[in-house]
Amino acid sequence: RLTGQQQEINSLMQRKSAVDEENARLKNEFSNLNRKFKDKSQELKDTEECAQKKEEQNRLVIKNLEEENKGLNICCADLLSDLEKLRKQEAQWKKEKSGNDARIKNLETDLAATREQIKRLHGICSNLSSQVAVKQEELFQKDCDVVRAK
């Protein structure tokens, strides 16, 4: 009976030893998993912090872009206003140019008519000059005749 108990004790001791080994292995595995969990938790925390920073940077970038966009919209509105003013000014200038072109055409017509009149008057002057020269010659001849007659 003692040997049976001894065998049972040995068997229980072996089981205890196996259980202790399994326990040690499980504790070691738990410790490794716990360390990995802590590492992953830190990694997650770091990633979340990084994501938060990125999100904040993105918000700032978006805010800056919105401000820049606002400025560009104001600039565009000013440019469109300037363009409209320039178009109105261009229309006014075209109208004035058209009036000036008509006046120039009328002046050119008047100038051509005046030139024709001057040409005609030159012809008349030339004709009269010839007649004066003839009359002076006749007068000179008559003066000579008068002097001879005296």
Side-chain angles (χ1 to χ4, degrees):
R1 174 166 174 163
L2 196 59
T3 338
Q5 283 181 340
Q6 190 62 39
Q7 282 180 341
E8 197 177 322
I9 289 172
N10 284 344
S11 173
L12 286 172
M13 289 298 277
Q14 283 177 346
R15 273 183 59 204
K16 182 187 181 293
S17 179
V19 165
D20 285 348
E21 282 178 28
E22 179 68 13
N23 215 5
R25 188 187 66 74
L26 287 173
K27 277 184 182 178
N28 193 26
E29 190 177 331
F30 175 76
S31 177
N32 287 337
L33 286 173
N34 203 24
R35 190 177 62 255
K36 284 181 184 177
F37 174 74
K38 285 180 183 174
D39 290 348
K40 289 293 179 186
S41 291
Q42 186 61 44
E43 192 179 316
L44 177 64
K45 186 179 172 187
D46 293 345
T47 302
E48 285 173 346
E49 284 176 9
C50 186
Q52 252 182 339
K53 286 179 185 174
K54 283 283 185 194
E55 202 174 304
E56 187 58 34
Q57 286 175 344
N58 287 343
R59 269 193 231 107
L60 283 173
V61 166
I62 288 169
K63 185 180 175 189
N64 289 338
L65 287 173
E66 285 172 346
E67 287 297 318
E68 188 178 343
N69 193 31
K70 222 182 272 182
L72 289 173
N73 283 337
I74 290 169
C75 188
C76 280
D78 290 346
L79 287 172
L80 286 172
S81 173
D82 290 349
L83 179 63
E84 188 56 33
K85 286 176 190 172
L86 288 172
R87 284 185 175 154
K88 286 178 182 176
Q89 193 175 30
E90 178 189 25
Q92 180 63 32
W93 285 348
K94 283 182 178 179
K95 193 175 173 184
E96 287 175 13
K97 184 184 180 301
S98 176
N100 288 339
D101 287 348
R103 280 190 13 230
I104 288 170
K105 191 171 183 178
N106 289 339
L107 289 172
E108 285 174 344
T109 303
D110 291 350
L111 180 63
T114 303
R115 283 189 174 143
E116 279 301 314
Q117 190 176 6
I118 289 172
K119 200 174 179 183
R120 192 175 52 78
L121 290 173
H122 270 297
I124 292 171
C125 272
S126 239
N127 197 7
L128 290 174
S129 289
S130 294
Q131 288 177 17
V132 166
V134 167
K135 293 291 178 188
Q136 282 179 336
E137 184 59 35
E138 287 175 6
L139 187 60
F140 180 72
Q141 286 302 321
K142 286 188 180 183
D143 280 344
C144 285
D145 291 346
V146 169
V147 167
R148 269 189 245 132
K150 283 185 182 179

